[in-house]
Amino acid sequence: MPLPFAFRRGLSMLACLAGAFALSAVPAQAATCPAPGQWLEPGGQQLAPDALFAELAERDVVLLGERHDNADHHRWQLHTLAGLHSLRPDMVIALEMLPREAQPVLDAWVAGDLGEQAFVDESHWHTAWGFDPALYFPILHFARLHRVPLKAVNVTPELRGRLVEEGWEAVPEAERLGITAPVEPLAAYRERLAEVYAQHPSRGDEEELERFIQAQLVWDRAMAFGLAEVAKKAALVVGLIGQGHLQYEHGVPHQLMDLGVDSQATLLPWSVSGDECQTPQEGLARAVFALDDSGSEAVSPMQLGVYVSSHEAGVEIHSILEGSVAEQAGLEAGDIILRAAGEPLSRPTDLSGLVRQQRPGTLLPLDIRRNGDEREVLARFPARSHDE
């Protein structure tokens, strides 16, 4: 049964916003700017890397935050993984990027049985995640080189939708992969989620806000549950997760505590580029790494700018964002998109996966049905400037 449109919209927003909380939203002004390459205790002093890593090696779970489209964040993650692996070769890397159904593909990748394109295809990367896999391949190759197990700890949007709409008790334990219901969020986390939701141009009413928050909690709990499962086996599990799920121990760390995982630490990248230098606020994380990412290119996925739902013939457009690629292509609410690039569509993720594969300046042919007539529409994605 298709999810209600309002809730699907919330999930779409969640996918865009879950890792996008601005880390500089509430920090204190610094007297002196931290130098790139320094580890800092938020609200405190510089940390010695050797002492910090010796401490981290004793934890059960270490969480590495990221902004998904920031290449320097992923480079920092790789270097941190290498340092932790030198102390804990029993390490396991847990990924937000893929649902549990992709676990056999991760196992095959680590075993060396798949090439890069086969991994992308068989994991359904572009549908499940969408951000450029090139950002993650250095970490994936590190895991394969050292035979570090990779663990998929996310769940599909379909399962998230069922848990929010039907409730946890209505979904059989086996169908929810044994994941238990989340503990109530801290008030500060709920406030932050409401602030993020309010920034979205297509935000809805209080009921939709609550669905958005509940979907975030499902996401947090699913990842925390997967991390806790690995930690029970006495391995160090290092999670690569969007920073919005980790800040101030509100999201995944809060759910981990409820699951009995007290020995955990969150590490975040901290930008020190730009004219105004700020220090991280106390309680943001166990430690942050000062990073000059002014030269890092953000690789954001393409967006068509439509809200859609499943239709027996393809996917149906409910609304179109002003100024979007869809609007410029002449798409209208009520159009049924039958095929994209010749590929038949049966659910919204089929369309979003194909859109995210587009490169700047390219055309995506869409076969649509409008008022019973079929026609082709060309969606032109803008070319990015050299300064972007």
Side-chain angles (χ1 to χ4, degrees):
M1 178 179 180
L3 297 176
F5 164 60
F7 180 56
R8 283 191 305 272
R9 178 168 67 179
L11 286 178
S12 298
M13 291 172 58
L14 182 64
C16 296
L17 300 174
F21 294 109
L23 284 181
S24 57
V26 287
Q29 191 71 25
T32 58
C33 186
Q38 290 182 348
W39 286 96
L40 306 171
E41 183 175 12
Q45 303 299 315
Q46 182 178 348
L47 297 170
D50 55 348
L52 174 62
F53 274 68
E55 173 199 321
L56 296 171
E58 298 299 318
R59 304 288 182 122
D60 295 329
V61 175
V62 175
L63 304 169
L64 306 184
E66 64 177 63
R67 200 184 77 200
H68 304 311
D69 62 356
N70 190 304
D72 275 343
H73 286 194
H74 299 295
R75 296 181 182 115
W76 163 75
Q77 287 175 327
L78 176 59
H79 297 163
T80 304
L81 286 166
L84 291 171
H85 183 259
S86 68
L87 299 173
R88 290 291 299 273
D90 62 336
M91 183 174 72
V92 175
I93 301 174
L95 303 175
E96 174 190 4
M97 298 80 216
L98 294 172
R100 285 161 169 77
E101 288 78 359
Q103 189 59 52
V105 183
L106 289 175
D107 294 340
W109 168 264
V110 172
D113 297 335
L114 296 175
E116 289 187 357
Q117 191 57 54
F119 172 82
V120 170
D121 293 342
E122 295 186 27
S123 67
H124 303 290
W125 179 276
H126 290 294
T127 299
W129 193 238
F131 290 93
D132 191 343
L135 292 166
Y136 295 88
F137 267 121
I139 292 173
L140 296 174
H141 279 290
F142 170 84
R144 177 150 74 181
L145 181 67
H146 294 281
R147 290 301 191 261
V148 175
L150 294 169
K151 179 79 171 179
V153 294
N154 214 330
V155 293
T156 63
E158 289 79 10
L159 179 55
R160 281 197 297 272
R162 288 187 63 195
L163 290 170
V164 174
E165 287 297 293
E166 301 175 24
W168 287 79
E169 295 303 320
V171 179
E173 183 178 1
E175 295 181 20
R176 54 181 158 90
L177 309 173
I179 302 170
T180 54
V183 68
E184 282 297 309
L186 298 171
Y189 189 41
R190 180 178 286 274
E191 291 173 5
R192 288 174 57 228
L193 290 174
E195 290 172 1
V196 170
Y197 187 80
Q199 296 170 13
H200 200 278
S202 60
R203 60 190 178 276
D205 56 19
E206 289 296 320
E207 184 177 354
E208 289 191 37
L209 168 60
E210 186 58 31
R211 286 184 173 129
F212 175 77
I213 292 173
Q214 292 305 314
Q216 178 85 357
L217 293 179
V218 172
W219 203 318
D220 291 338
R221 186 67 171 198
M223 291 190 287
F225 197 87
L227 292 162
E229 285 182 315
V230 179
K232 290 177 182 177
K233 301 176 182 178
L236 169 64
V237 55
V238 183
L240 308 186
I241 294 174
Q243 60 195 19
H245 292 281
L246 306 180
Q247 297 169 28
Y248 301 101
E249 299 187 346
H250 286 168
V252 173
H254 182 59
Q255 298 298 329
L256 276 171
M257 291 288 288
D258 180 65
L259 291 166
V261 181
D262 301 327
S263 179
Q264 56 171 298
T266 294
L267 309 178
L268 298 173
W270 180 260
S271 177
V272 294
S273 58
D275 297 332
E276 294 187 7
C277 182
Q278 297 175 315
T279 54
Q281 190 177 55
E282 184 177 358
L284 177 67
R286 170 63 187 97
V288 299
F289 182 79
L291 182 66
D292 181 0
D293 57 359
S294 56
S296 179
E297 295 184 0
V299 185
S300 300
M302 293 292 105
Q303 300 289 336
L304 186 59
V306 295
Y307 291 114
V308 297
S309 65
S310 297
H311 185 276
E312 60 182 9
V315 295
E316 180 179 2
I317 298 176
H318 287 270
S319 63
I320 296 176
L321 294 180
E322 183 178 352
S324 65
V325 170
E327 183 182 63
Q328 295 172 12
L331 291 169
E332 300 177 0
D335 288 346
I336 309 300
I337 306 179
L338 309 172
R339 290 171 293 276
E343 295 290 331
L345 306 176
S346 61
R347 56 182 183 172
T349 52
D350 294 337
L351 175 63
S352 61
L354 289 168
V355 167
R356 286 167 174 166
Q357 295 180 52
Q358 296 301 119
R359 292 292 177 262
T362 60
L363 291 170
L364 177 64
L366 302 172
D367 297 318
I368 71 168
R369 180 186 298 162
R370 180 183 298 167
N371 299 324
D373 297 326
E374 293 190 14
R375 66 184 73 180
E376 182 182 65
V377 172
L378 296 178
R380 182 184 298 276
F381 293 90
R384 289 172 175 154
S385 68
H386 293 296
D387 296 329
E388 186 175 352

